[in-house]
């Protein structure tokens, strides 16, 4: 603590105080478009908020509930699919029962009869789980003796209380979120701009993205929420219209989430130098921010945009159709779900390019443009027989990405090694199914076959599967590839050249063992915890890997993993 005070004093002498041209002290609050802001202190927010919303309170509240025998449930903000069988895989919106939360980064939970670790930052706790269980139990006990009229009144009161709980959670989390955004803008960005010798303008754009625009937008959004919030009777609040009024504005989160992986990488590089670690910690202390590292603060907008549809879904659940806010809440839920889905897809796609890059560097004798030059997602993969014009058959392994189909040859001795043999531009070809029998173009008998025909050159490629199901899956995959390409164009799904370049650089470095424990997402590896094992699972250790949003599975899910992909996994930087 003494060292931290000394470090803060050192940086304050280095002009971390906010000065103005006339020698005065600049106001700590950023004025909004109307020149004012309703400013909440963090202490006031904590007093007005449930304990589980306060720093450290979430873990305490969860563990107390669990120790009392209560069931605690959380909802997934986004996908978590992992290579590690000690980690719990789930999709956005899935419900996970939390069994232990003694570690702030990794919780132990159950989903679909499997118990394992999962990253705590990937989930949101349900608001009404405890009240729902108690109310359901009490209603069942009184069901036989209760008067029907009183029973309906009791249920209505319970619905009102549960709607109040959700409304208050939305309001409280929004106020705390605004405080975090303000701390980032005033505590970090403003100080960084003053130290031009440490940060370039380009670095600040990379690290913080458009978070200042998000801050301005969220303040306007909160003001409108406050106007619609009924303090006396929160369950009567009509906040659905606020989300509909601002739904277009939430699009700014796409840019931020798109930029976030690059921000993690830039921060990771800076944090290797002690002067940057000391600087950011001094900024945090001087701004009196809660004890969260800067990368944790920068993750909050990504988490927030994915929380909205979960909050609105729970609000809709406890809003009766007779309620004046019902239609707006329903429409707001659909609107925010679409926004979150797009951002979740961007996030998933960005993190998948790391695995695609590592796949490419594992291929022997790769030729031509990098796979990331045009593609960002694997659609389908498998073995097919490629038939030449001379009637010669070649067994090849094919990988269908968006925009291109890559085919490779397995090594005769080492079946875990692939040699690059070519690719087909899917934008230039038409995929056609071929009936069993003699093909007129190749003059050979074929079975379970399909072909690609180039629209410009009329070049034809003929492929045969081992089973009828293979042909069907490939035709469906090719149709799916065209549909995804069209959806990407409509959504504006693009990966920047800098992000592609960074992914390839990381893949080549990891291939030669130059980096360990860092993924393209830039998130730090959780440290190993030897003493944080659930009582009933002492032999399990907290995972030391980076949470992976998507496993780049280059084989169909139902197949047994081949020796090749077992060896390929050993070559990745995620080996434990």
């Amino acid at each position: 603590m003494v060292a931290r005070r000394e470090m803060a004093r050192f940086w304050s002498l280095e002009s971390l105080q906010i000065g103005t041209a006339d020698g005065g002290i600049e106001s700590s609050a950023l004025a909004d478009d109307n020149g004012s802001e309703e400013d909440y202190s963090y202490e006031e927010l904590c007093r007005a908020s449930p304990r589980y919303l306060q720093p450290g309170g979430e873990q305490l509240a969860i563990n107390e509930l669990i120790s009392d025998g209560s069931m605690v449930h959380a909802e997934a903000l986004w996908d978590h699919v992992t290579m590690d069988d000690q980690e719990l895989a789930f999709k956005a919106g899935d419900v996970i029962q939390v069994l232990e939360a003694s570690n702030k980064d990794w919780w132990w939970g159950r989903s679909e009869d499997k118990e394992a670790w999962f990253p705590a930052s990937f989930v949101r706790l349900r608001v009404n789980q405890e009240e729902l269980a108690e109310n359901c139990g009490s209603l069942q006990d009184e069901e036989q003796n209760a008067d029907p009229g009183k029973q309906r009144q009791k249920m209505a009161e319970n619905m009102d209380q549960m709607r109040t709980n959700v409304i208050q959670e939305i309001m409280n989390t929004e106020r705390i979120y605004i405080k975090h955004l303000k701390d980032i803008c005033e505590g970090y960005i403003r100080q960084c701009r003053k130290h031009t010798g440490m940060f370039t303008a380009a670095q600040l754009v990379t690290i913080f993205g458009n978070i200042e625009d998000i801050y301005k937008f969220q303040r306007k959004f909160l003001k409108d929420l406050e106007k619609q919030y009924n303090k006396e009777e929160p369950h009567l609040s009509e906040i659905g219209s606020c989300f509909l009024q601002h739904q277009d504005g939430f699009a700014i989160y796409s840019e931020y989430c798109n930029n976030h992986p690059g921000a993690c990488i830039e921060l990771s590089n800076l944090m290797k130098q002690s002067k940057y670690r000391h600087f950011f910690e001094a900024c945090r202390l001087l701004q009196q921010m809660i004890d969260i590292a800067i990368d944790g603060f920068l993750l909050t907008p990504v988490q927030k945009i994915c929380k909205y549809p979960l909050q609105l879904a729970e609000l809709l659940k406890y809003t009766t159709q007779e309620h004046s806010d019902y239609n707006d809440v329903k429409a707001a839920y659909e609107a925010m779900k679409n926004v979150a889905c797009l951002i979740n897809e961007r996030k998933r796609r960005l993190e998948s390019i790391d695995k695609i890059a590592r796949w490419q560097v594992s291929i022997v004798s790769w030729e031509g443009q990098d796979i990331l030059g045009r593609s960002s997602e694997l659609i389908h993969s498998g073995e097919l027989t490629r038939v030449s014009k001379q009637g010669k058959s070649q067994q090849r392994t094919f990988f269908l990405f968006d925009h291109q189909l890559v085919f490779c040859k397995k090594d005769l001795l080492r079946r875990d090694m692939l040699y690059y043999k070519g690719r087909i531009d899917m934008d230039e070809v038409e995929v056609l199914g071929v009936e069993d029998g003699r093909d007129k173009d190749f003059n050979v008998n074929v079975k379970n076959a399909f072909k690609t025909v180039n629209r410009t050159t009329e070049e034809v490629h003929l492929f045969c599967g081992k089973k009828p199901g293979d042909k069907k899956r490939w035709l469906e995959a090719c149709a799916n590839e065209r549909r995804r390409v069209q959806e990407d164009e409509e959504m504006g799904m693009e990966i920047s050249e800098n992000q592609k370049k960074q992914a390839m650089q990381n893949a080549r470095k990891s291939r030669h063992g130059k980096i360990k424990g860092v993924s393209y997402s830039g998130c730090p590896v959780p440290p190993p915890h030897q003493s944080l094992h659930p009582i009933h699972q002492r032999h399990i250790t907290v995972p030391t890997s980076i949470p992976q949003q998507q496993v780049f599975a280059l084989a169909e899910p139902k197949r047994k993993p081949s020796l090749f992909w077992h060896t390929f996994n050993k070559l990745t930087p995620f080996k434990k």
Side-chain angles (χ1 to χ4, degrees):
M1 182 62 71
V2 174
R4 286 192 175 186
R5 284 199 296 268
E6 288 298 313
M7 181 172 58
R9 186 174 66 84
F10 169 77
W11 280 108
S12 66
L13 293 175
E14 287 289 313
S15 75
L16 278 182
Q17 292 294 337
I18 306 172
T20 60
D22 59 2
I25 300 300
E26 188 175 339
S27 172
S28 62
L30 296 178
D32 63 14
D33 296 337
N34 299 322
S36 64
E37 180 190 53
E38 185 176 358
D39 204 10
Y40 296 90
S41 72
Y42 197 77
E43 291 73 19
E44 290 173 337
L45 291 174
C46 287
R47 283 196 296 270
S49 303
R51 184 175 57 172
Y52 73 89
L53 293 176
Q54 302 172 22
E58 191 174 65
Q59 282 179 263
L60 292 173
I62 294 173
N63 285 321
E64 283 186 12
L65 286 171
I66 294 173
S67 63
D68 291 340
S70 301
M71 295 182 68
V72 178
H73 292 93
E75 293 175 302
L77 295 173
W78 46 66
D79 298 351
H80 179 239
V81 186
T82 174
M83 296 176 182
D84 194 332
D85 58 5
Q86 291 185 8
E87 294 179 25
L88 195 64
F90 48 76
K91 294 182 178 181
D94 285 357
V95 177
I96 301 107
Q97 182 183 354
V98 183
L99 301 176
E100 183 177 324
S102 57
N103 181 355
K104 66 183 179 67
D105 297 317
W106 291 87
W107 292 351
W108 184 264
R110 179 188 296 126
S111 178
E112 297 182 353
D113 298 327
K114 179 181 178 180
E115 293 185 13
W117 295 102
F118 65 93
S121 61
F122 280 37
V123 301
R124 162 199 175 256
L125 288 176
R126 278 183 166 177
V127 178
N128 285 312
Q129 51 194 329
E130 187 177 12
E131 292 87 342
L132 182 60
E134 292 176 355
N135 291 332
C136 288
S138 62
L139 285 174
Q140 289 176 355
D141 294 338
E142 300 173 4
E143 184 175 358
Q144 294 180 345
N145 301 323
D147 178 80
K150 291 182 178 180
Q151 188 174 352
R152 283 193 295 271
Q153 181 181 356
K154 180 67 174 177
M155 292 179 66
E157 291 174 356
N158 288 336
M159 287 286 286
D160 289 345
Q161 181 57 52
M162 291 181 183
R163 190 172 200 275
T164 293
N165 294 341
V166 181
I167 289 286
Q168 289 177 338
E169 186 219 16
I170 291 174
M171 299 303 300
N172 290 330
T173 54
E174 201 66 31
R175 292 163 184 158
I176 291 175
Y177 178 49
I178 287 291
K179 178 65 170 62
H180 289 336
L181 292 176
K182 178 182 177 181
D183 286 341
I184 293 170
C185 293
E186 296 185 357
Y188 288 125
I189 299 178
R190 183 175 289 174
Q191 301 298 343
C192 290
R193 284 177 177 154
K194 293 173 63 177
H195 290 75
T196 55
M198 295 179 66
F199 303 94
T200 65
Q203 279 181 311
L204 295 183
V205 170
T206 300
I207 295 172
F208 297 103
N210 63 334
I211 201 165
E212 290 176 301
D213 295 332
I214 291 176
Y215 178 37
K216 292 177 183 177
F217 167 76
Q218 289 294 151
R219 286 164 60 190
K220 293 178 182 177
F221 177 64
L222 177 58
K223 281 190 174 183
D224 288 341
L225 275 181
E226 296 284 5
K227 292 176 183 177
Q228 298 298 114
Y229 177 54
N230 188 326
K231 295 181 180 179
E232 302 299 324
E233 297 180 285
H235 67 281
L236 297 179
S237 301
E238 300 177 358
I239 66 172
S241 59
C242 293
F243 287 91
L244 295 177
Q245 179 184 344
H246 293 278
Q247 62 176 314
D248 293 337
F250 285 106
I252 62 174
Y253 277 86
S254 293
E255 179 182 340
Y256 183 85
C257 295
N258 215 13
N259 179 75
H260 186 255
C264 291
I265 292 172
E266 185 67 31
L267 266 181
S268 178
N269 292 333
L270 292 179
M271 288 300 192
K272 295 174 184 177
Q273 303 179 49
S274 60
K275 70 173 183 178
Y276 286 99
R277 295 196 298 270
H278 294 162
F279 174 82
F280 285 125
E281 178 63 5
C283 290
R284 187 187 70 79
L285 292 172
L286 289 168
Q287 184 70 13
Q288 298 182 351
M289 300 160 71
I290 61 175
D291 191 9
I292 296 177
I294 182 173
D295 55 345
F297 277 104
L298 295 180
L299 180 63
T300 53
V302 182
Q303 294 175 313
K304 185 64 177 176
I305 195 64
C306 294
K307 275 186 180 179
Y308 283 130
L310 298 180
Q311 290 176 323
L312 288 169
E314 193 166 3
L315 180 61
L316 183 62
K317 181 178 179 181
Y318 300 113
T319 303
T320 63
Q321 294 188 16
E322 292 77 21
H323 198 290
S324 57
D325 200 26
Y326 178 81
N327 290 331
D328 283 346
V329 170
K330 185 176 181 180
Y333 166 66
E334 293 297 332
M336 294 308 298
K337 184 172 66 171
N338 291 337
V339 172
C341 283
L342 173 59
I343 292 173
N344 192 35
E345 175 63 17
R346 287 182 183 275
K347 190 172 186 295
R348 183 187 66 82
R349 193 75 65 89
L350 278 169
E351 295 187 353
S352 76
I353 68 174
D354 175 59
K355 295 180 176 65
I356 296 177
R358 287 191 287 107
W359 170 82
Q360 180 187 313
V361 299
S362 72
I363 304 298
V364 180
S365 302
W366 183 272
E367 296 178 5
Q369 184 185 31
D370 287 336
I371 190 71
L372 294 181
R374 301 186 60 210
S375 303
S376 62
E377 185 175 22
L378 176 75
I379 309 296
H380 190 62
S381 65
E383 292 190 354
L384 292 169
T385 299
R386 182 168 178 256
V387 182
S388 67
K389 283 285 189 179
Q390 295 74 30
K392 184 179 179 181
S393 298
Q394 299 173 325
Q395 193 75 11
R396 296 287 183 261
T397 304
F398 288 81
F399 302 92
L400 177 61
F401 299 89
D402 51 315
H403 299 288
Q404 52 189 325
L405 176 66
V406 178
F407 49 98
C408 304
K409 176 185 177 181
K410 284 185 177 181
D411 188 271
L412 293 176
L413 298 178
R414 290 189 56 184
R415 304 298 286 175
D416 60 340
M417 184 178 293
L418 290 178
Y419 293 85
Y420 176 84
K421 288 298 177 182
R423 70 182 91 187
I424 296 173
D425 187 343
M426 297 301 293
D427 294 341
E428 300 293 330
V429 301
E430 183 178 2
V431 180
L432 304 171
V434 178
E435 294 184 0
D436 292 350
R438 183 166 293 274
D439 180 72
K440 62 179 182 179
D441 293 321
F442 288 74
N443 197 31
V444 293
N445 287 319
V446 295
K447 193 174 182 180
N448 308 322
F450 65 96
K451 64 176 65 174
T452 62
V453 182
N454 190 293
R455 300 185 185 91
T456 304
T457 64
E458 297 185 352
E459 181 182 10
V460 181
H461 293 274
L462 181 63
F463 310 98
C464 298
K466 292 182 179 179
K467 300 177 181 179
D470 295 339
K471 173 184 176 180
K472 180 181 178 182
R473 280 189 290 271
W474 275 102
L475 290 176
E476 290 175 349
C478 290
N480 188 25
E481 183 269 340
R482 288 291 86 194
R483 184 169 60 253
R484 293 196 189 191
V485 167
Q486 182 178 354
E487 290 174 354
D488 286 352
E489 292 176 355
E490 293 172 353
M491 292 189 300
M493 179 74 67
E494 292 182 0
I495 309 296
S496 72
E497 292 301 319
N498 183 53
Q499 289 165 332
K500 295 175 183 178
K501 181 180 178 181
Q502 187 68 56
M504 291 305 303
Q505 288 177 349
N506 287 349
R508 292 187 175 105
K509 287 180 181 178
S510 65
R511 179 71 171 172
H512 294 90
K514 293 183 179 180
I515 58 173
K516 295 182 179 180
V518 177
S519 75
Y520 177 64
S521 65
C523 300
V525 180
H529 300 274
Q530 299 302 326
S531 59
L532 298 175
H533 313 323
I535 295 174
H536 59 293
Q537 291 285 345
R538 289 289 180 183
H539 62 287
I540 301 294
T541 59
V542 174
T544 59
S545 68
I546 302 158
Q548 294 304 305
Q549 308 302 88
Q550 176 198 20
V551 172
F552 187 61
L554 299 178
E556 293 177 23
K558 294 184 179 180
R559 295 181 181 177
K560 295 181 179 179
S562 66
L563 177 62
F564 169 74
W565 294 118
H566 174 72
T567 306
F568 171 71
N569 286 339
K570 289 184 177 181
L571 298 176
T572 70
F574 304 105
K575 180 186 174 186
K576 300 177 178 53

